[in-house]
Amino acid sequence: MNSIKVLDKEFVPYLSEKEIQEKITVLAMQLNKDYAGKRPIFLSILNGSFLFTADLFKQITIEAEVCFIKLASYKGMSSSGNVITAIGLEANVSGRDIIILEDIIDTGKTLHHYLPQLLSSGPASVKIAVLLNKKEALQFPVQVDYTCFDIPNKFVVGYGLDYDGLGRNSKDIYQLK
Ligand code: 5GP
Ligand code: MG
């Protein structure tokens, strides 16, 4: 693997396609076991999680559903940490077992703000599965139940994750040089 340039920034190889796919296989096997007979709903948070969701869901062998929502956070001078739902939840989650799929947990702000909204719809259970977990960066209490990789607090791109909209279409994950 070689370094790549996305816009003005240089990124170095960090996690290979092979490593990523291996971890996803392990996670899928665990979820197949933990949710057997429960018909869970995988709730994927767009945009970053689309490849993670697709690769994981292909390896789910139990009865399961998948749906998507899009959350966006306002960034700006007056940022009060507001998270808006840009595409909402269509599925009826009442009484259902939900597994949230996130590409990366950074400060935890996005999920910390969204979870009460989801819980108010009365799911039977909610667990969080993430591809990447920047543990040191966590500022808002969020309990992550399944993690593929714990990573340091450095900006990454690839495999669904973008830098200013670009870089998502890479099979490997790169770290800012
Ligand atoms: P949080 O709300 O946990 O602070 O951040 C979650 C969102 O921030 C992620 O879903 C992702 O969109 C973005 N994010 C956080 N860290 C990174 C990173 O290292 N690289 C990229 N591309 N996005 C990140
Ligand atoms: Mg995201």
Side-chain angles (χ1 to χ4, degrees), residues 115-168:
L115 279 172
Q117 200 180 313
L118 179 62
L119 291 171
S120 72
S121 307
S125 71
V126 177
K127 299 256 163 144
I128 299 172
V130 302
L131 179 68
L132 308 172
N133 193 349
K134 281 187 186 172
K135 276 187 168 167
E136 300 154 25
L138 196 71
Q139 289 175 29
F140 297 81
V142 171
Q143 195 203 316
V144 179
D145 302 282
Y146 302 92
T147 296
C148 291
F149 298 95
D150 285 311
I151 66 165
N153 191 7
K154 267 196 177 179
F155 191 78
V156 290
V157 294
Y159 194 67
L161 292 132
D162 72 305
Y163 169 50
D164 210 3
L166 297 179
R168 296 191 199 272

Side-chain angles (χ1 to χ4, degrees), residues 52-130:
F52 172 46
T53 301
D55 286 338
L56 177 75
F57 200 64
K58 281 185 278 184
Q59 300 201 59
I60 295 301
T61 52
I62 58 168
E63 275 195 339
E65 297 174 40
V66 63
C67 66
F68 299 85
I69 61 167
K70 182 167 185 172
L71 303 176
S73 36
Y74 284 122
K75 286 180 199 140
M77 288 175 290
S78 64
S79 175
S80 56
N82 278 340
V83 175
I84 59 151
T85 309
I87 299 176
L89 186 59
E90 283 180 352
N92 179 6
V93 300
S94 173
R96 302 294 301 274
D97 294 295
I98 311 300
I99 305 158
I100 294 178
L101 298 181
E102 254 289 39
D103 51 351
I104 187 165
I105 295 262
D106 183 25
T107 64
K109 183 176 89 178
T110 310
L111 285 183
H112 178 76
H113 280 79
Y114 176 66
L115 279 172
Q117 200 180 313
L118 179 62
L119 291 171
S120 72
S121 307
S125 71
V126 177
K127 299 256 163 144
I128 299 172
V130 302

